[in-house]
């Protein structure tokens, strides 16, 4: 695991604070059986919740981590090296929450309520931005 992450050392910010190596190793250990079952390992999702992953892009004023685009991408790259399917599954969350953060910054409306709820309750957001049709 560390050797895969080390390939791009210096190009990406360190993600140890948001996604510790021990968590990545546990997630990577579960990935083959989850992939074989065609599902995401619930324990891995719980690990991400414990690490407050859902609040990663949420501004700190709404009790999130306040990670910007580069840190979110670096964390997703590390997660993808451990469990590609899990990284794809939670990528829609980061995309949708990131868009909501940008919307809030431009409009300063009540969308902060949902951002704060995501960060404080460690909830993943599902959306249909990428899905065609109804």
């Amino acid at each position: 695991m560390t050797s895969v992450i080390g390939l791009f050392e210096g190009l990406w910010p360190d993600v140890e604070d948001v996604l510790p190596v021990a968590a990545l190793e546990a997630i990577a250990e579960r990935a083959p059986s989850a992939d074989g079952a065609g599902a995401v390992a619930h324990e891995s999702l719980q690990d991400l919740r414990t690490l407050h992953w859902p609040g990663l892009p949420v501004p700190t004023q709404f009790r999130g981590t306040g990670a910007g685009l580069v840190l979110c991408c670096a964390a997703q790259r590390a997660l993808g090296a451990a469990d590609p399917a899990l990284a794809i599954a939670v990528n829609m969350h980061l995309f949708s929450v990131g868009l909501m953060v940008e919307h809030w910054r431009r409009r300063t409306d009540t969308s902060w309520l949902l951002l704060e709820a995501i960060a404080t309750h460690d909830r993943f957001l599902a959306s249909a931005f990428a899905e065609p049709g109804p």
Side-chain angles (χ1 to χ4, degrees), residues 36-134:
V40 172
H42 293 288
E43 298 89 353
S44 295
L45 278 175
Q46 188 56 42
D47 285 350
L48 293 180
R49 284 186 176 103
T50 300
L51 295 167
H52 306 295
W53 184 270
L56 192 63
V58 175
T60 56
Q61 69 201 81
F62 305 129
R63 299 173 28 190
T65 304
L69 180 62
V70 173
L71 182 57
C72 285
C73 288
Q76 275 295 98
R77 182 196 59 78
L79 183 60
D83 186 343
L86 179 62
I88 291 168
V90 299
N91 193 61
M92 186 179 290
H93 166 82
L94 290 178
F95 172 77
S96 299
V97 175
L99 281 176
M100 194 181 317
V101 168
E102 288 306 310
H103 168 82
W104 178 84
R105 286 185 177 142
R106 292 179 181 162
R107 303 268 191 250
T108 58
D109 62 6
T110 58
S111 59
W112 70 270
L113 292 165
L114 182 55
L115 292 169
E116 186 175 77
I118 289 167
T120 58
H121 297 288
D122 294 311
R123 302 291 186 200
F124 283 101
L125 178 68
S127 68
F129 283 118
E131 304 302 323

Side-chain angles (χ1 to χ4, degrees), residues 1 23-44 79-87:
M1 175 56 53
L24 285 171
E25 289 171 346
I27 289 168
E29 204 171 290
R30 294 183 205 108
S33 60
D35 193 42
V40 172
H42 293 288
E43 298 89 353
S44 295
L79 183 60
D83 186 343
L86 179 62

